[in-house]
Amino acid sequence: MTPRLSLYLDAMRFLAALWVVLAHFHAWGFAPASLGAWLPESGRDAVVLFFVLSGFVIAYTCERKDGRTYLVDRAARIYSVALPVVLATTGIALADVHAGTVGYARFYQSGQIVGYLGLYFAFLGNAWFLQEPPFGIIPYWSLNFEVWYYILFGLLVYLRGVWRAVLFLAALAIVGFKLWLLWPVWLAGVWLYRYRDRWPMPRGVARAVMALTVIVYAAMEVTGADHWLWAVSSAPFGGLAASPLGDARFFASDYAVAVLAVAHLYAFRYAEVGLPRWSAPAIRWLAGCTFTLYLAHGPILTLFGIHFGKTGDSVGHALLLLVGLLAAVVAISYGTERQVALWRRGFGWLVRLAERCLSPLRRRVASTDLIRLHR
């Protein structure tokens, strides 16, 4: 991966996370109408972009790291943010429920919180017919998809023989049809990495393709083609509200956005364009809080709305809240993903401990196989 492409991907990741934040700020009623007119209505397409970028980066990573390092790195990356954000949000919400704070009617998980926390940290909230994000953390649904895509892809890359087939099929059976349906979106990123050099483009053509993908996407939004695709996705089930596909019910639109994202990034390889070098430090710094921004903004807005209400018709109050939200996320990131090296060491120790505990069993199995062989 070239430095030029790496910087571009970091910028796209941050902008996609910011897109989701602005969409929720609008959709959840924190932006007055005069400001909301300038904000995105949905962050769904940004999540699709995340999936494509994730598949690309994981394919790159798997070529360069062994299975143990892959496991440790992925666990550290995910849990460094998911664990503290979910625990902090849940703890604050439970304390508010105990204190009798009004506004927690949707927090039905409070009565069986230990069981729900197990579901969240196993990332099974979207398995089969489940639809269970943690309280106030709506974007968590995408982690339920993405983490299992890490697992499925890792099983295919690092295992061999009968164990690869058995464990891969078992994982597919655990996650269910919703994750099957959106896996092609994630695999599109893998395809992009594997075939990024297959069909070279002249520089002018590549730049035209990059521009065209942006124009086509804008046309989809302006003409409502994305809504038409939503209707196509849900028509066999009687509409979006009745669809059993949950967070996968927009799959037709997701596929279209994924194709545009892949075409855009493929053309970038040959367009000989890029971000200025002087922007690299700022972009790298912003990318260091992207995951926290994506996951923590929801509970911050939810808890703010419960305790202080919405911003009403004041654009000034809304902008002040938005700036405060971004500042809070940056501060939180210094205790979450910016400490990923510490989490990596912790998970590395756990993996080594598990290997030591399992080594007697492995030796016993190996000796049994050897005895059978000599017989």
Side-chain angles (χ1 to χ4, degrees):
M1 186 182 301
T2 65
R4 182 171 60 92
L5 176 59
S6 176
L7 186 65
Y8 193 61
L9 296 183
D10 278 346
M12 293 185 77
R13 283 196 304 117
F14 176 77
L15 291 176
L18 184 61
W19 184 279
V20 173
V21 172
L22 295 176
H24 287 161
F25 195 80
H26 178 204
W28 297 352
F30 288 95
S34 56
L35 179 61
W38 298 92
L39 300 180
E41 294 183 1
S42 171
R44 175 79 185 192
D45 296 341
V47 177
V48 173
L49 178 58
F50 274 133
F51 281 172
V52 173
L53 295 179
S54 174
F56 183 91
V57 171
I58 293 302
Y60 168 82
T61 300
C62 286
E63 279 194 355
R64 288 156 177 79
K65 296 183 178 180
D66 57 34
R68 178 198 290 177
T69 306
Y70 175 79
L71 173 63
V72 169
D73 284 355
R74 291 302 94 201
R77 172 65 174 162
I78 294 298
Y79 283 111
S80 66
V81 180
L83 193 65
V85 169
V86 171
L87 289 179
T89 301
T90 302
I92 294 170
L94 287 174
D96 280 345
V97 169
H98 182 72
T101 305
V102 177
Y104 288 90
R106 293 182 292 110
F107 190 25
Y108 58 88
Q109 301 97 327
S110 59
Q112 297 176 307
I113 195 60
V114 174
Y116 279 105
L117 285 175
L119 189 71
Y120 302 150
F121 293 135
F123 301 99
L124 289 171
N126 285 78
W128 291 98
F129 293 98
L130 292 177
Q131 199 76 15
E132 293 290 348
F135 176 73
I137 314 179
I138 301 301
Y140 205 87
W141 74 266
S142 65
L143 291 191
N144 292 332
F145 284 69
E146 189 165 349
V147 169
W148 280 95
Y149 294 156
Y150 293 163
I151 294 171
L152 289 166
F153 192 69
L155 291 173
L156 289 177
V157 170
Y158 293 111
L159 295 185
R160 295 291 182 270
V162 66
W163 278 112
R164 176 166 68 174
V166 170
L167 293 178
F168 178 76
L169 292 175
L172 280 180
I174 289 170
V175 298
F177 56 89
K178 288 182 287 188
L179 276 80
W180 305 343
L181 195 58
L182 289 192
W183 202 24
V185 173
W186 192 89
L187 288 175
V190 177
W191 181 94
L192 174 63
Y193 178 76
R194 294 280 174 84
Y195 295 96
R196 64 194 184 282
D197 298 323
R198 179 63 62 91
W199 301 282
M201 291 182 179
R203 183 178 62 181
V205 173
R207 291 180 177 180
V209 169
M210 287 186 68
L212 185 61
T213 57
V214 175
I215 292 170
V216 171
Y217 176 74
M220 284 178 57
E221 295 296 305
V222 170
T223 62
D226 54 340
H227 292 267
W228 178 79
L229 290 171
W230 295 356
V232 170
S233 303
S234 60
F237 307 102
L240 287 173
S243 175
L245 299 179
D247 287 309
R249 64 189 182 277
F250 307 99
F251 67 90
S253 174
D254 295 342
Y255 290 169
V257 173
V259 169
L260 292 175
V262 167
H264 183 87
L265 290 170
Y266 189 93
F268 179 86
R269 165 74 173 77
Y270 300 100
E272 297 181 16
V273 296
L275 300 171
R277 291 184 179 180
W278 56 261
S279 67
I283 291 173
R284 300 295 190 197
W285 183 80
L286 289 171
C289 64
T290 295
F291 191 16
T292 307
L293 177 64
Y294 179 69
L295 211 59
H297 76 274
I300 292 174
L301 288 176
T302 299
L303 295 173
F304 184 92
I306 289 174
H307 287 275
F308 303 104
K310 305 295 174 68
T311 54
D313 295 328
S314 172
V315 174
H317 288 169
L319 292 176
L320 185 63
L321 174 58
L322 190 56
V323 171
L325 170 64
L326 297 177
V329 165
V330 169
I332 293 170
S333 72
Y334 281 93
T336 55
E337 62 189 300
R338 295 189 194 273
Q339 302 298 324
V340 71
L342 293 176
W343 288 83
R344 192 178 292 118
R345 285 198 290 270
F347 278 108
W349 178 84
L350 288 175
V351 169
R352 290 192 297 272
L353 177 63
E355 288 176 338
R356 285 198 296 269
C357 293
L358 292 173
S359 60
L361 177 61
R362 291 165 61 184
R363 286 196 297 269
R364 190 177 303 130
V365 171
S367 62
T368 302
D369 290 342
L370 185 61
I371 291 172
R372 288 176 180 171
L373 180 63
H374 283 295
R375 287 179 181 176

